[in-house]
Amino acid sequence: MKSATVLFRSSRAVAFALGALLCLGLEVHAQTDPLPSWNDGPAKQAIVAFVQATTDQSSMKFVPPAERIATFDQDGTLWVEQPMYSQVMYCLERVPALVKAKPELAKVEPFKTVMSGNREAMARLSFKDLMKILAATLTGMTVDEFQVQVANWTTTAKHPRFDRLYTELIYQPMLEVMHYLRDNGYKTYIVTGGGQDFVRVYAERVYGIPPEQVVGTAGGTKYGYDKTGKPILTKEPRLLLNDDKAGKPEGIHLMIGRRPHAAFGNSDGDRQMLEYTGAGDGARLMMLVLHDDAKREYAYGPAQGLPNSKVGTFTQALYDEAKAKGWIVISMKNDWNRIFAFE
Amino acid sequence: MKSATVLFRSSRAVAFALGALLCLGLEVHAQTDPLPSWNDGPAKQAIVAFVQATTDQSSMKFVPPAERIATFDQDGTLWVEQPMYSQVMYCLERVPALVKAKPELAKVEPFKTVMSGNREAMARLSFKDLMKILAATLTGMTVDEFQVQVANWTTTAKHPRFDRLYTELIYQPMLEVMHYLRDNGYKTYIVTGGGQDFVRVYAERVYGIPPEQVVGTAGGTKYGYDKTGKPILTKEPRLLLNDDKAGKPEGIHLMIGRRPHAAFGNSDGDRQMLEYTGAGDGARLMMLVLHDDAKREYAYGPAQGLPNSKVGTFTQALYDEAKAKGWIVISMKNDWNRIFAFE
């Protein structure tokens, strides 16, 4: 009876202490691993060490919350970019609707080839032809119409190999990094060579990244009025920002105006973004995803003797620069115990 | 003695209740006026009603936090724009340093006229000459060098009439509106015809608006390397976004990707931004500052029979559109009991 009373008192004391802690606004939670899809190793350790150092006020590497900016390439860094950039897939798959609206295009190249469904012929389309398809499917409509078109595609179109929605082919380990950074006061941005308006349609739902934090290749819009006098913005075939290679730091300056403290990429298109990030004072984290897992995803890029690829080129020169500058190469095969959420 | 005990007990009870409220995370504060520099009237009432309705989950006009975007023109809306836009003043005052670095410019127009100090001759400079001065003082340097140059100017240069730093000539009532909106979950943006890089230098310190929330007229930058191999961004005389008139909604789409729920301006340059804001669904607040107080600030613009001005034109057509569409005109004279913080 006495021990029961002690226990009771003790429980009350614990409950009181817990309550007091909660009242003080302190969070009581277990030390859960913020990066469960990452195997222990230099990549995971580098991320955790960076976050701990830059958020610890007693650290020389402390970064004030307002300056905590992290940028992520999208294709090949956050989601699958093989066998073709998803946005190019979107443009090709949009052609039938375009031809339905403008039947005269059915007899005109390159639309005729796309309508034929002949994949070999489509793969042989020239860069110029591809640009014609991109211009026809990405411009000419209002920004509101475009949003509806892309939203419909992202909720229906499926990847040829995985037979999953493209928005399911997000790398779970990278989602965890973004969450972990945000939980530690970082603003996460996408900085993509893909279309800014395209990525903005699903970025909030899929990555938790709002439209204003998506930097991408951007065309101009034209302000005008529809037949009822309502203001509209129409997408124009006029390039404002080619957000690739040198265009990435230029785009970061234009859209954010601050140098990132962390940058993640996977190809030569991200080299300048990582250089620019690394050139800042204090703690900086630069990482590159290496696609070396043909079984679970893909293996490509000349580095490490992997086969060549039309998209997402990770050259030997980039690999050498990464080694020389202390950028961390993430091996999908070795560093990630899970690639997709559905696994 | 008994009454003292009662008082004591009562105080303890109050203290306990207060403590409990604080523990629950509820804020206990007096109903302080968030807009003390505003006189009671339709303008102040419209702001308060908008904020209350859009943040009340039971209201039909509720706006989810992620969509709470408010945009503010700068010149004439947040700070004094007379007798000349401050950034033009900056460019003119920058010429001596420019000539010191490149002495050959001293004999070349329009720099020769600016160096003469002859204000009448400077006032007669053509638009083309002015553009030459802007290009020479706003481009050609790295973005880091430019930040230092502007920061130095904002902490030393003074306004000819008020003999105050330009950054002291901020409208206190508008600061209060920005704070009030932010306290209620709104992201506040500057959307200015002025230079994006220029305004970003002081926007965080002066308005509490971080660089990534400044949208302005923007030129391109060029990524490269300095002599030591360090990456640099150099400001180029290549216009990417003319963030004025139709350029404002176009710039909002480019930089934010969402339609604002509230927009504040003061001139014909803001008309399209207010139209675009007002064309959205649900609650929208559009306001225009009318400069009708020659004694405390300036009075200008054809509306209401005020004298014409080279800058910040508030035309009769804008006034008529405001009335027709329910945009609220703020009278500096009648709606603001204080204009500057130093008053």
Side-chain angles (χ1 to χ4, degrees):
Chain A
M1 196 61 189
K2 195 184 171 187
S3 64
T5 308
V6 169
L7 184 69
F8 179 64
R9 278 183 185 152
S10 169
S11 298
R12 282 225 306 195
V14 167
F16 182 82
L18 268 174
L21 277 170
L22 287 168
C23 279
L24 288 166
L26 299 176
E27 282 176 36
V28 180
H29 56 72
Q31 285 283 345
T32 52
D33 182 352
L35 304 171
S37 300
W38 291 72
N39 293 322
D40 277 329
K44 180 174 182 170
Q45 285 159 16
I47 298 165
V48 173
F50 170 81
V51 168
Q52 286 179 346
T54 59
T55 56
D56 174 1
Q57 277 196 288
S58 67
S59 164
M60 290 284 289
K61 294 180 175 175
F62 178 73
V63 176
E67 292 169 24
R68 293 184 197 158
I69 303 283
T71 55
F72 294 82
D73 167 58
Q74 184 190 227
D75 295 299
T77 300
L78 296 179
W79 74 353
V80 172
E81 65 181 352
Q82 298 289 352
M84 203 184 275
Y85 294 128
S86 305
Q87 191 180 348
V88 176
M89 206 69 102
Y90 166 79
C91 293
L92 292 171
E93 293 179 11
R94 180 79 202 150
V95 168
L98 185 72
V99 168
K100 198 175 171 189
K102 297 179 184 175
E104 66 275 18
L105 290 180
K107 292 174 185 173
V108 181
E109 288 297 358
F111 306 101
K112 194 177 162 185
T113 295
V114 177
M115 290 303 286
S116 76
N118 181 336
R119 285 186 173 267
E120 280 190 21
M122 282 160 72
R124 283 195 305 270
L125 285 173
S126 68
F127 180 78
K128 202 176 158 189
D129 277 340
L130 210 54
M131 286 301 113
K132 274 185 195 167
I133 294 165
L134 264 59
T137 52
L138 300 175
T139 69
M141 67 294 286
T142 69
V143 300
D144 292 341
E145 287 164 354
F146 181 71
Q147 278 166 17
V148 172
Q149 290 165 8
V150 176
N152 286 343
W153 183 82
T154 58
T155 51
T156 53
K158 293 199 170 174
H159 187 277
R161 169 174 161 191
F162 294 98
D163 196 31
R164 294 268 181 179
L165 297 178
Y166 289 92
T167 51
E168 288 181 276
L169 299 177
I170 308 293
Y171 305 136
Q172 178 64 22
M174 295 306 287
L175 276 185
E176 291 169 5
V177 172
M178 289 193 286
H179 278 288
Y180 181 43
L181 285 167
R182 289 199 290 264
D183 285 348
N184 283 280
Y186 278 84
K187 258 190 182 174
T188 52
Y189 282 80
I190 290 175
V191 177
T192 174
Q196 183 167 284
D197 281 351
F198 183 84
V199 178
R200 278 174 168 172
V201 175
Y202 56 83
E204 188 147 37
R205 175 172 59 85
V206 171
Y207 303 117
I209 293 185
E212 61 269 27
Q213 285 165 226
V214 174
V215 180
T217 294
T221 56
K222 191 174 172 58
Y223 180 82
Y225 306 89
D226 70 8
K227 286 173 194 168
T228 69
K230 191 180 167 178
I232 47 170
L233 286 171
T234 305
K235 287 172 68 62
E236 291 200 308
R238 174 169 56 92
L239 189 67
L240 284 185
L241 173 65
N242 182 8
D243 197 48
D244 196 28
K245 301 191 192 311
K248 289 208 174 189
E250 293 163 7
I252 288 169
H253 178 71
L254 175 69
M255 304 284 295
I256 311 176
R258 300 189 201 256
R259 192 191 300 263
H261 273 268
F264 299 78
N266 79 302
S267 82
D268 284 26
D270 304 310
R271 183 170 69 84
Q272 291 86 345
M273 174 168 75
L274 269 63
E275 287 176 348
Y276 180 65
T277 301
D281 296 332
R284 308 280 163 171
L285 178 68
M286 285 68 67
M287 302 191 87
L288 287 166
V289 175
L290 178 67
H291 294 259
D292 57 358
D293 194 331
K295 198 175 163 198
R296 294 188 299 169
E297 203 244 10
Y298 293 92
Y300 54 98
Q304 306 290 287
L306 298 172
N308 253 316
S309 163
K310 273 191 184 178
V311 295
T313 316
F314 194 137
T315 61
Q316 188 61 46
L318 179 64
Y319 198 86
D320 294 343
E321 185 169 350
K323 287 289 153 196
K325 294 188 171 164
W327 302 347
I328 291 154
V329 176
I330 300 163
S331 161
M332 292 181 79
K333 192 172 173 180
N334 302 319
D335 286 314
W336 292 355
N337 61 52
R338 191 161 74 146
I339 292 186
F340 303 115
F342 57 77
E343 280 174 12
Chain B
M1 197 59 189
K2 196 185 171 187
S3 64
T5 308
V6 169
L7 186 68
F8 179 65
R9 278 184 184 152
S10 168
S11 297
R12 283 224 305 193
V14 167
F16 181 82
L18 268 173
L21 277 170
L22 286 167
C23 279
L24 287 167
L26 299 175
E27 283 175 38
V28 180
H29 57 72
Q31 286 283 344
T32 52
D33 182 353
L35 304 172
S37 300
W38 291 72
N39 293 322
D40 277 328
K44 180 173 183 170
Q45 285 160 17
I47 298 165
V48 173
F50 171 80
V51 168
Q52 288 178 345
T54 58
T55 56
D56 173 1
Q57 279 196 288
S58 68
S59 164
M60 288 286 288
K61 294 180 174 174
F62 178 73
V63 176
E67 292 169 24
R68 293 183 197 159
I69 303 282
T71 55
F72 294 82
D73 168 57
Q74 182 189 229
D75 295 298
T77 299
L78 296 180
W79 75 352
V80 172
E81 65 180 351
Q82 297 290 350
M84 203 184 276
Y85 294 127
S86 305
Q87 191 179 347
V88 176
M89 206 70 101
Y90 166 79
C91 293
L92 292 172
E93 294 178 11
R94 181 78 203 152
V95 169
L98 186 72
V99 168
K100 198 176 171 188
K102 298 179 184 174
E104 67 276 16
L105 289 180
K107 293 173 185 173
V108 181
E109 290 295 359
F111 307 100
K112 195 176 162 186
T113 295
V114 177
M115 291 303 287
S116 75
N118 182 336
R119 286 188 172 267
E120 280 190 22
M122 281 160 72
R124 283 195 305 270
L125 285 173
S126 68
F127 179 77
K128 203 177 158 188
D129 278 340
L130 210 55
M131 286 301 113
K132 276 185 193 166
I133 294 165
L134 265 59
T137 52
L138 300 175
T139 68
M141 68 293 287
T142 69
V143 299
D144 292 341
E145 288 163 354
F146 182 71
Q147 278 166 18
V148 172
Q149 291 165 8
V150 176
N152 286 343
W153 183 83
T154 58
T155 51
T156 53
K158 292 197 171 176
H159 187 277
R161 170 175 160 190
F162 294 99
D163 196 30
R164 293 268 180 178
L165 297 178
Y166 289 92
T167 51
E168 289 180 276
L169 299 176
I170 307 293
Y171 305 136
Q172 177 63 23
M174 295 306 288
L175 276 184
E176 291 169 5
V177 172
M178 288 194 285
H179 278 288
Y180 180 42
L181 285 167
R182 288 199 290 263
D183 285 348
N184 283 280
Y186 277 85
K187 259 190 182 173
T188 52
Y189 283 80
I190 289 174
V191 177
T192 174
Q196 184 167 283
D197 282 350
F198 183 83
V199 179
R200 278 174 168 172
V201 175
Y202 55 83
E204 188 147 37
R205 176 172 59 85
V206 171
Y207 302 118
I209 293 185
E212 61 268 27
Q213 285 165 225
V214 174
V215 180
T217 294
T221 56
K222 192 173 172 59
Y223 180 82
Y225 306 89
D226 70 10
K227 287 173 193 167
T228 69
K230 191 180 167 178
I232 48 170
L233 286 172
T234 305
K235 287 172 67 63
E236 292 200 308
R238 174 170 57 92
L239 189 67
L240 284 185
L241 173 65
N242 181 9
D243 197 49
D244 197 29
K245 301 192 194 307
K248 290 209 173 190
E250 291 164 9
I252 288 168
H253 179 71
L254 175 68
M255 304 284 295
I256 311 175
R258 300 189 201 256
R259 192 191 300 263
H261 273 269
F264 300 78
N266 79 302
S267 82
D268 283 28
D270 304 310
R271 182 170 70 84
Q272 291 86 345
M273 174 167 75
L274 269 64
E275 287 176 349
Y276 180 65
T277 301
D281 296 332
R284 309 279 164 170
L285 178 67
M286 285 70 65
M287 302 191 88
L288 287 166
V289 175
L290 179 68
H291 295 259
D292 56 358
D293 193 331
K295 197 174 165 198
R296 294 188 298 170
E297 203 243 10
Y298 293 92
Y300 54 98
Q304 306 290 288
L306 298 171
N308 252 317
S309 163
K310 273 191 184 179
V311 295
T313 316
F314 194 137
T315 61
Q316 188 61 47
L318 179 64
Y319 198 86
D320 293 344
E321 185 168 351
K323 287 289 154 196
K325 293 188 171 163
W327 302 348
I328 290 152
V329 176
I330 300 162
S331 161
M332 291 181 80
K333 192 172 175 180
N334 301 319
D335 285 315
W336 292 355
N337 61 54
R338 192 161 74 145
I339 292 186
F340 303 115
F342 58 77
E343 279 173 12

